Amino acid sequence: MELPQPYRDFLISMGGSGASPYYGLIPLDGCTLFTMNRAAFDTGTRGFTRAHRPTRDGDLFLAVIECGCSDLALIGVTGPLTGHVLIGNADGFWGPNVSSAPDFLAWYERWLDHMAAGRDNRALALTSPRLHAHPQAYRMAPKI
C-alpha cells in the first residue's frame, strides 16, 4: 500500500505527530487501516471496520487523527477518495463527511489558517491562541 503523496510529504517534512484538530496526529506506526461499511438500510449512514491487513473487500482508509470515542479522521488510501480527508464514526452513528480540501496538506493548512485567524471551532473543541487571549472576541468558523 502506498500513502497519498501530500500525506507522505507532510510526514517527511513535519513528522507524524503533533498539533491537529481533535486530539492530535497519530504517529504513522500507530495509525490503523479501516474499510467503509455499506450504508445501513434503515439509517443510510456508514460506519468503518478495522482492516487487520490490506484487503480487496473495500477501499482502505487510514485513521490519522485521534478524535475520541468511535469518531475517526481518516485519509483515503485506495479507491475514488484516495488522498481526501474524511471525518466519520466507526459505529455508523453518523455518516462520514468528506472534506472539500483536495488532499491532507490542503486540509491541514486550512485548519492552520483558521487557527491563525482566530476562528474558533467548538465542534472540534478548539480555540486558537488568539481567542484564548481575547475570549470576548469569539467568532465561530463559517460553515463550509
Side-chain angles (χ1 to χ4, degrees):
M1 175 185 74
E2 187 171 316
L3 295 174
Q5 190 64 46
Y7 184 61
R8 286 176 44 192
D9 292 344
F10 179 86
L11 292 175
I12 291 167
S13 300
M14 303 301 293
S17 64
S20 76
Y22 301 100
Y23 300 117
L25 292 166
I26 302 169
L28 185 58
D29 62 354
C31 292
T32 307
L33 281 173
F34 287 85
T35 57
M36 188 184 297
N37 301 337
R38 297 191 194 296
F41 179 73
D42 54 343
T43 62
T45 59
R46 295 176 173 211
F48 293 87
T49 299
R50 185 168 179 189
H52 294 282
R53 62 182 195 283
T55 176
R56 292 180 182 250
D57 294 340
D59 298 330
L60 294 173
F61 299 88
L62 187 67
V64 296
I65 294 176
E66 290 285 347
C67 296
C69 297
S70 59
D71 295 344
L72 305 166
L74 311 111
I75 297 175
V77 291
T78 63
L81 294 175
T82 296
H84 288 275
V85 175
L86 293 84
I87 309 295
N89 181 271
D91 297 322
F93 292 130
W94 47 276
N97 180 2
V98 180
S99 172
S100 61
D103 56 47
F104 176 81
L105 215 51
W107 179 84
Y108 192 81
E109 288 173 350
R110 181 186 297 166
W111 173 72
L112 289 174
D113 291 343
H114 282 204
M115 292 296 99
R119 295 184 185 152
D120 196 9
N121 190 333
R122 287 200 176 178
L124 301 181
L126 295 171
T127 53
S128 69
R130 197 167 169 188
L131 287 171
H132 280 299
H134 304 286
Q136 64 276 20
Y138 175 85
R139 293 180 296 154
M140 288 292 286
K143 290 188 178 188
I144 300 174

